Amino acid sequence: MFSEEKLNKVKEIIARYPQGKQKSALIPVLHLAQEEFGGWLSSETMDYVASLLQITSIEVYEVATFYSMFNLQPVGKHVFEVCQTGPCMLRGSDQIIDYIKKKLDIGVGETTKDGLFTLKTVECLGACGYAPMMQLGKHYREHLTPEKVDAIIEECRAKAN
Amino acid sequence: MPTIYIDNKAFEVKAGKNLLEACLSLGLDLPYFCWHPAMGSVGACRQCAVKVFKDEEDTRGRIVMSCMESVKDGLRLSVNDKTATTFRSQVIEWLMTNHPHDCPVCDEGGCCHLQDVTVMTGHNYRRYEYKKRTYTNQYLGPLVNHEMNRCIQCYRCVRYYRDYAGGKDLNVFSAHNHVYFGREKDGVLQSPFSGNLVEVCPTGVFTDKTLKEHYTRKWDLTNAPAVCQHCSLGCNVIAGERYGQLRNIVNRYNSEVNGYFLCDKGRFGYEFVNSENRVTQPLIRKRQSEAVNRATLMQHMSTLLSGHTLIGIGSPRASLESNYALMDLVGKENFYQGIPDDLVYIEQKIVDILLSGAIHTPSLKEIEQADAVLILGEDIWNTAPVMALAVRQSVMKTAATHTTEQVAIPLWHDMAVRELVQDAKGFLANMTVTASPLDEISASTMRAAPDDLARLGFAIAHILNPSLPEVPDATDAVRTQAMNISRALQQAKHPVIITGTSCWNNALVRAAFDIAAALDLTEKRAGLAFVMQDCNSLGLAMMRSSSFEKAITSAERSSNVTAIILENDLYRSVPAGQADAFFSSCKNVVVLDTLHNRTTERADVLIPAATFAEADGTFVNNEARAQCSSQVFMPANSEVRESFKWLSEIRSLKTTAGNGHEKHPDEILQALESKFPQFKGISRSAPPHDFRFHGARIPRESHRYSGRTAMQANIDVSEPKPLQDDDSPLSYTMEGYRGPAPSPLIPFFWAPGWNSGQSVNKFQLETGGSLKGGEPGVRLAEQTGVTPVFSRDIPDAFTARQDKWLLLPQYHLFGSGELSVYTEGIASQSPAPYISLSRHDAERAGLKEGDIVTVKSDGKAYSLPLSIHGSLPDGIMLVPAGLRGMDSWSWGGWVNISTVKV
């Protein structure tokens, strides 16, 4: 359940759209829910969002499964979303992904035992000029090299402590 | 007509079409997946690529998706261009990277659109050597099977299920390489039109689960063109048999009737043919050995005929041939419809209206094209499902037509049109006793008793034609609603009014007629559609015979009565008390039927009749279209015969002239039309039995039919002589005329390179248009311009009575049907019997949900649990009609509750 404050925020988002088109608020409300409920969307969360927008659950699942920005399983504190589309792949995203896997001892879609890191692969994030790249939280990390990855991991660990 | 150049040849094509439609209509082989003639184009699959050239000089051209490009005069394109053909085969190659190589174990194999297209594009060696993506399949209920690995992401399933049929519980999830089509979790598909997914899906993701139980490849089936038996719409179907078992039903395209789609009851409700409950042997009861052979039966029958008064009870679900053969045997004055007086009265009214020529009755296609629809009283979702689907198209397409008139977007451009239309809808007023799934697309709804609905109808008629009487004491609410509806009908060019017999109320029929006739006077072509109860209700009603009550009186008056009952379980057709009364006044009861039921239990002589699949027969649908249903297979058991054959043989016992030749069905139809002018033209509904192409018949079996020489080797190693069909131009062989057959005789759709049902393109004048040679069937009632006679007789407003309820039937798409419930997947979705009252009535009577309520109808007491109904008007009791084992009640009568057990 959202807090009163967040519920007001939901109402505000719904109010942006014409009467009867409250389904349009789905994506911003899902983002809000993901932020609020541990960084991922459980089916209970999605059902809750459906009830807020008065639409069927299946309509929420349809949207939430489409976007890689929505996590449908619990994730770690820091999510590495590595782009693997053409330009990044040509610039070595495969090696970056392999390096992260080995370094953190996890596979794609998995989370480290300490709950700190999750590795995801995503499609083009529109930063091909800075390939290979990944998204970490709200920021892009660009021109990745194994050294840069090491630094990013250290930085995250430092933040966690 | 624009001229386009395809590979440098000039063709005249129809304007407003896309290039794919134009090419297919010209008979060219151009592969496609996502385009569907009933659903338009979205350009999703990239399979129909062609090359378009700027002008004659242009040698480079550019690749376009033919389904997304409009026909333009002078346009030049190439289908066979090297770049285009390579493109198409590459599209298949990447689809194949994930498609499993499981054709040998896939139900779709042999009638698979994907197989056809793969062969057509010439892609035959896979280069992809890696892992394929796999999915978990879902349980989608007892009728449709799900196998997601085969999916090629054409999106046809969701476009059909959600956009076309209005289903909500199937959707698409995820993106790119993980796209998944399914439900949110395992569960039965909720739409009663889900079975069409089997034909809509170009590959084996959705397949027929009932076929799986006795699987046979399309090429191994013996097929025939048949007519659905489960409601009055007369949808055209193709029924397939192997080893003496009916294996499946698929859609048989008829642009006027069902188009491309069937309902689930029609598609899956065929298992009764294979039921263990079939009557297989003639029986003479109360004998030492009750099962007898034909000779003994005939001997016994001749004693029952001489010196006895004969009474024949016809059937709304038996063919015209069988009904007429019975009438011919017992004499016209002794032939009765096996249905109650009230229903006969209403049906007679409908026949009078249709045959008067005063009004036009629309086909389902015309209902789809209507621009305003008023449903008066009939619960078409349950009693005529494919009509509900047609009404949905009218609502959605009217809006699309209105919107696209303003902008230059062709109607086939599905996504663009939907984007433009948004939530706009055409006009539908759904005026029924209880809520219906159609309400959500209705502009106007009303829940009221049948008399009140009729009064609303008369109020509308009065507004449209002020010379008609005003409805006395109409409430303001009714006046406003009548005003709104009449305005919408007046604005429409092709309004359609729908009513029917399921409310057992003749005022509804009269009111609907008055509205349609009043609209007709204003220079528009209004349509008036009736929904009947059974597949041949209208045919039987057109014979204009008396009701069952008259049969009882006649039986009571005479002594020594031999009643012959044709394919009619009286306990389902008339109240049980009446059936009992009838049986007790008959000395001998002879029953011809296909399945054991409570009427066959009362039979002194029981004669096994053939089902529709084993019989030739003509059925008159709700629009008075007489359609021939052909025999799919001959029962191995020679004691199972078409009723009209038995009856003709029994008839020959009466004449001393000895056995004349056995009458062919078309000869019976000729006799029928010579005796009854209302059936004029019916013998043209299908080619006669001796019709041949250069001496050849039309084979029911494909040229690939396998095992003919071996399939009966366990009985005899020599190949048996093929069965002879003397009654139709169809043969029980693989040999014969393989060219285009007359449309009533198309046993299955197949064309070289097109093994799937998509081959229907090759049988049509244009994609989505008429079959070559016209649609099967003959319409027996056409508008002739006769001045209508208005009814003017307005019923009083309905008033709830103290402790008494108006008894009305609730039909259930799954459940109300004598035959369809033999399919386990349909029976399992059928509701348990109940009695329904409105919440207010239940509270007033101190009743709670689930209380066992006892009600007396026609002298018999029935105890059923109470189900409180949210949308039922006060004063009405609703009881499900025709559930397995349930009697027919005195519908339209008044009943009271005798006892209550909490």
Side-chain angles (χ1 to χ4, degrees):
Chain A
M1 291 283 278
F2 280 128
S3 63
E4 187 139 348
E5 183 200 348
K6 294 286 172 200
L7 272 177
N8 285 335
K9 178 86 184 146
V10 170
K11 272 185 203 144
E12 198 187 299
I13 297 171
I14 293 175
R16 287 182 207 159
Y17 305 98
Q19 194 80 40
K21 297 273 181 190
Q22 73 280 13
K23 188 184 172 183
S24 310
L26 182 53
I27 290 177
V29 174
L30 280 176
H31 276 301
L32 200 65
Q34 178 159 293
E35 238 168 65
E36 195 70 8
F37 303 116
W40 70 292
L41 297 169
S42 65
S43 50
E44 291 76 25
T45 308
M46 289 190 277
D47 293 348
Y48 173 58
V49 169
S51 71
L52 287 178
L53 299 180
Q54 293 165 313
I55 55 179
T56 55
S57 303
I58 196 168
E59 289 172 283
V60 180
Y61 300 168
E62 174 195 31
V63 171
T65 55
F66 183 85
Y67 295 100
S68 57
M69 296 80 178
F70 295 123
N71 301 314
L72 302 178
Q73 265 150 16
V75 288
K77 196 155 180 211
H78 305 283
V79 184
F80 290 177
E81 295 176 277
V82 187
C83 173
Q84 52 161 12
T85 310
C88 280
M89 195 191 89
L90 290 173
R91 299 283 295 144
S93 64
D94 283 357
Q95 288 87 322
I96 296 293
I97 293 166
D98 283 344
Y99 183 76
I100 300 173
K101 279 190 194 167
K102 216 177 283 166
K103 172 106 186 173
L104 296 175
D105 194 24
I106 50 173
V108 173
E110 291 174 5
T111 304
T112 50
K113 282 195 191 100
D114 57 7
L116 267 187
F117 299 100
T118 299
L119 173 62
K120 277 174 79 178
T121 55
V122 295
E123 301 304 324
C124 188
L125 291 169
C128 310
Y130 318 101
M133 58 79 66
M134 70 171 174
Q135 184 171 358
L136 176 61
K138 288 183 174 166
H139 298 280
Y140 282 2
R141 300 300 175 101
E142 295 151 352
H143 297 305
L144 294 178
T145 57
E147 295 73 35
K148 273 201 180 172
V149 170
D150 284 344
I152 293 168
I153 291 173
E154 281 319 306
E155 178 195 323
C156 292
R157 288 210 169 113
K159 258 191 219 162
N161 294 329
Chain B
M1 294 235 294
T3 303
I4 60 169
Y5 299 86
I6 305 175
D7 289 309
N8 292 320
K9 260 188 254 160
F11 294 96
E12 279 212 340
V13 294
K14 207 166 158 185
K17 298 267 171 183
N18 59 51
L19 294 182
L20 174 62
E21 290 170 328
C23 289
L24 292 172
S25 298
L26 291 167
L28 300 169
D29 288 342
L30 182 55
Y32 61 87
F33 288 123
C34 64
W35 170 82
H36 189 287
M39 294 187 279
S41 313
V42 287
C45 73
R46 321 314 281 171
Q47 189 58 68
C48 64
V50 293
K51 201 178 236 185
V52 172
F53 301 93
K54 208 161 57 191
D55 49 39
E56 222 166 330
E57 312 292 293
D58 183 5
T59 50
R60 267 185 72 178
R62 63 189 171 96
I63 292 281
V64 300
M65 297 309 128
S66 61
C67 72
M68 299 301 279
E69 200 82 1
S70 276
V71 160
K72 277 187 223 66
D73 195 37
L75 186 131
R76 310 187 78 91
L77 73 138
S78 172
V79 172
N80 298 327
D81 176 87
K82 189 83 181 44
T83 331
T85 52
T86 311
F87 184 98
R88 296 197 297 258
S89 81
Q90 279 173 355
V91 170
I92 282 290
E93 182 167 17
W94 65 253
L95 288 179
M96 283 297 159
T97 59
N98 277 324
H99 188 80
H101 300 174
D102 65 346
C103 300
V105 295
C106 173
D107 286 6
E108 196 82 355
C111 55
C112 176
H113 185 45
L114 178 60
Q115 275 182 336
D116 290 350
V117 169
T118 306
V119 174
M120 209 177 286
T121 60
H123 166 70
N124 36 20
Y125 286 95
R126 315 271 183 265
R127 290 180 293 173
Y128 181 77
E129 293 174 347
Y130 311 97
K131 273 195 174 172
K132 290 172 186 275
R133 59 104 174 83
T134 53
Y135 293 113
T136 311
N137 302 319
Q138 287 182 329
Y139 169 78
L140 297 179
L143 303 172
V144 178
N145 194 65
H146 192 224
E147 176 61 57
M148 250 314 282
N149 290 345
R150 297 178 184 139
C151 182
I152 57 163
Q153 297 90 36
C154 71
Y155 283 70
R156 259 190 178 188
C157 54
V158 282
R159 288 180 57 224
Y160 163 73
Y161 196 89
R162 299 183 74 86
D163 299 346
Y164 191 92
K168 294 195 179 58
D169 59 326
L170 184 84
N171 214 332
V172 51
F173 306 102
S174 202
H176 43 92
N177 221 11
H178 315 294
V179 170
Y180 188 91
F181 297 90
R183 297 186 82 248
E184 64 179 83
K185 51 177 179 272
D186 284 10
V188 184
L189 285 173
Q190 296 298 303
S191 169
F193 306 104
S194 67
N196 294 310
L197 290 172
V198 171
E199 286 184 65
V200 164
C201 175
T203 177
V205 178
F206 300 100
T207 51
D208 180 343
K209 222 179 221 178
T210 64
L211 172 63
K212 232 178 186 31
E213 296 299 313
H214 35 57
Y215 185 69
T216 304
R217 294 262 175 234
K218 178 180 176 180
W219 68 70
D220 278 342
L221 290 168
T222 300
N223 292 296
V227 172
C228 182
Q229 302 287 300
H230 301 296
C231 84
S232 67
L233 298 182
C235 292
N236 291 197
V237 299
I238 292 170
E241 171 267 358
R242 179 115 177 152
Y243 298 119
Q245 242 190 351
L246 193 61
R247 298 290 167 116
N248 75 340
I249 296 275
V250 294
N251 184 60
R252 176 161 63 103
Y253 179 82
N254 179 329
S255 72
E256 297 287 326
V257 187
N258 43 308
Y260 288 90
F261 304 117
L262 299 175
C263 74
D264 289 358
K265 191 174 185 175
R267 182 181 298 272
F268 300 113
Y270 65 87
E271 299 274 20
F272 70 94
V273 175
N274 309 325
S275 167
E276 288 187 353
N277 197 34
R278 284 289 299 274
V279 182
T280 54
Q281 185 73 36
L283 296 180
I284 301 174
R285 294 244 161 86
K286 300 179 195 103
R287 283 200 174 191
Q288 206 159 34
S289 158
E290 294 192 332
V292 295
N293 60 22
R294 212 147 118 186
T296 320
L297 173 72
M298 284 303 149
Q299 224 169 20
H300 185 69
M301 281 310 295
S302 66
T303 62
L304 291 190
L305 295 185
S306 60
H308 288 70
T309 310
L310 291 185
I311 287 183
I313 306 290
S315 165
R317 68 166 156 90
S319 67
L320 271 181
E321 286 85 344
S322 295
N323 274 302
Y324 181 73
L326 178 59
M327 182 190 264
D328 195 38
L329 168 65
V330 299
K332 187 173 183 323
E333 61 291 347
N334 298 321
F335 178 80
Y336 300 89
Q337 304 191 40
I339 52 173
D341 222 2
D342 290 349
L343 187 57
V344 169
Y345 182 82
I346 303 166
E347 291 190 350
Q348 213 48 61
K349 192 81 218 159
I350 292 173
V351 169
D352 290 344
I353 290 172
L354 290 175
L355 295 182
S356 73
I359 201 78
H360 173 70
T361 190
S363 65
L364 286 178
K365 185 190 192 174
E366 288 171 292
I367 294 178
E368 262 183 30
Q369 291 167 345
D371 49 0
V373 178
L374 165 64
I375 300 171
L376 207 57
E378 187 70 19
D379 177 13
I380 60 171
W381 187 270
N382 286 307
T383 59
V386 176
M387 186 184 274
L389 195 59
V391 167
R392 183 179 160 81
Q393 302 326 306
S394 136
V395 172
M396 305 317 258
K397 279 178 190 154
T398 306
T401 317
H402 281 325
T403 323
T404 50
E405 271 165 8
Q406 333 289 330
V407 291
I409 292 180
L411 269 175
W412 50 256
H413 205 314
D414 192 55
M415 274 313 259
V417 170
R418 275 177 204 285
E419 209 46 51
L420 201 61
V421 168
Q422 292 287 324
D423 294 336
K425 290 187 178 64
F427 183 81
L428 166 64
N430 193 31
M431 307 296 157
T432 47
V433 177
T434 56
S436 141
L438 281 176
D439 291 345
E440 64 175 29
I441 52 166
S442 303
S444 182
T445 59
M446 185 179 186
R447 300 289 91 89
D451 275 349
D452 287 346
L453 295 171
R455 284 165 60 86
L456 172 76
F458 284 114
I460 298 169
H462 168 73
I463 298 169
L464 295 170
N465 180 357
S467 75
L468 294 175
E470 208 179 334
V471 174
D473 318 316
T475 61
D476 284 346
V478 167
R479 274 175 220 274
T480 322
Q481 210 154 16
M483 191 55 93
N484 292 339
I485 294 170
S486 53
R487 199 172 300 135
L489 294 175
Q490 266 166 333
Q491 279 164 1
K493 289 193 195 89
H494 304 290
V496 162
I497 320 298
I498 295 171
T499 190
T501 58
S502 73
C503 280
W504 294 67
N505 184 302
N506 72 74
L508 282 170
V509 171
R510 291 186 286 109
F513 173 77
D514 280 10
I515 300 171
L519 283 168
D520 244 10
L521 293 179
T522 60
E523 304 283 298
K524 28 181 127 255
R525 191 163 160 86
L528 174 58
F530 296 108
V531 175
M532 313 293 282
Q533 302 199 345
D534 284 293
C535 60
N536 202 21
S537 284
L538 196 60
L540 180 65
M542 280 173 69
M543 290 170 77
R544 297 191 191 278
S545 307
S546 308
S547 67
F548 187 71
E549 282 88 333
K550 304 267 176 8
I552 301 177
T553 322
S554 161
E556 280 166 353
R557 264 199 225 128
S558 333
S559 55
N560 245 0
V561 171
T562 295
I564 304 178
I565 299 166
L566 170 69
E567 300 179 32
N568 191 342
D569 181 0
L570 293 176
Y571 288 94
R572 296 179 57 94
S573 302
V574 299
Q578 290 187 18
D580 287 336
F582 179 71
F583 287 126
S584 60
S585 43
C586 295
K587 183 136 189 249
N588 297 291
V589 176
V590 181
V591 176
L592 296 98
D593 215 336
T594 54
L595 293 149
H596 289 283
N597 55 40
R598 277 173 297 163
T599 298
T600 61
E601 279 168 24
R602 301 294 299 259
D604 302 306
V605 178
L606 179 56
I607 303 176
T611 61
F612 81 104
E614 300 141 337
D616 291 296
T618 305
F619 300 86
V620 182
N621 82 348
N622 69 314
E623 49 154 339
R625 184 188 296 269
Q627 304 187 103
C628 167
S629 181
S630 297
Q631 190 181 47
V632 186
F633 66 106
M634 279 187 197
N637 175 355
S638 62
E639 310 285 9
V640 177
R641 300 166 79 207
E642 288 141 306
S643 294
F644 66 82
K645 291 222 163 132
W646 280 118
L647 293 165
S648 307
E649 192 174 340
I650 296 167
R651 167 102 171 75
S652 69
L653 299 170
K654 273 173 59 169
T655 53
T656 45
N659 294 344
H661 93 102
E662 199 174 66
K663 271 195 184 141
H664 300 294
D666 51 309
E667 290 167 337
I668 299 181
L669 289 183
Q670 278 164 15
L672 176 72
E673 74 181 339
S674 69
K675 222 168 237 176
F676 297 101
Q678 62 266 40
F679 287 105
K680 189 161 178 283
I682 195 169
S683 57
R684 282 185 288 112
S685 59
H689 72 279
D690 54 358
F691 174 87
R692 299 288 183 276
F693 275 104
H694 310 295
R697 287 163 174 268
I698 297 148
R700 283 180 173 89
E701 290 160 7
S702 81
H703 56 295
R704 291 171 181 157
Y705 191 84
S706 65
R708 183 171 79 176
T709 56
M711 61 197 286
Q712 290 189 35
N714 57 333
I715 302 159
D716 187 349
V717 288
S718 5
E719 185 190 342
K721 183 170 176 267
L723 296 168
Q724 286 297 308
D725 180 1
D726 292 331
D727 291 334
S728 87
L730 297 165
S731 76
Y732 284 106
T733 57
M734 300 152 65
E735 294 82 14
Y737 182 74
R738 289 249 171 242
S743 59
L745 292 178
I746 299 170
F748 53 92
F749 292 115
W750 182 87
W754 297 82
N755 298 305
S756 79
Q758 307 287 321
S759 51
V760 69
N761 290 333
K762 300 281 185 188
F763 290 76
Q764 296 164 328
L765 285 173
E766 56 172 334
T767 56
S770 306
L771 290 170
K772 289 171 183 162
E775 303 311 286
V778 170
R779 270 170 61 106
L780 301 174
E782 291 298 354
Q783 190 171 20
T784 53
V786 172
T787 321
V789 182
F790 289 97
S791 150
R792 294 166 194 272
D793 180 12
I794 302 170
D796 292 337
F798 175 79
T799 40
R801 298 188 192 172
Q802 189 69 34
D803 298 329
K804 266 193 185 301
W805 284 271
L806 176 69
L807 179 66
L808 290 180
Q810 169 68 53
Y811 294 85
H812 288 277
L813 202 157
F814 290 145
S816 301
E818 182 175 358
L819 306 175
S820 59
V821 290
Y822 281 92
T823 296
E824 191 38 50
I826 289 180
S828 66
Q829 295 184 63
S830 151
Y834 59 84
I835 284 175
S836 251
L837 293 178
S838 74
R839 184 168 305 282
H840 178 248
D841 280 357
E843 276 166 14
R844 218 171 35 135
L847 297 171
K848 287 192 307 299
E849 181 85 17
D851 284 354
I852 305 295
V853 173
T854 303
V855 171
K856 267 195 182 152
S857 168
D858 204 59
K860 273 188 91 167
Y862 300 94
S863 298
L864 293 172
L866 179 75
S867 152
I868 292 173
H869 202 301
S871 68
L872 187 66
D874 292 345
I876 295 177
M877 177 183 287
L878 217 53
V879 173
L883 298 188
R884 184 186 264 178
M886 268 186 88
D887 289 342
S888 177
W889 296 23
S890 328
W891 309 121
W894 291 85
V895 289
N896 55 353
I897 294 175
S898 49
T899 57
V900 179
K901 206 167 83 201
V902 179

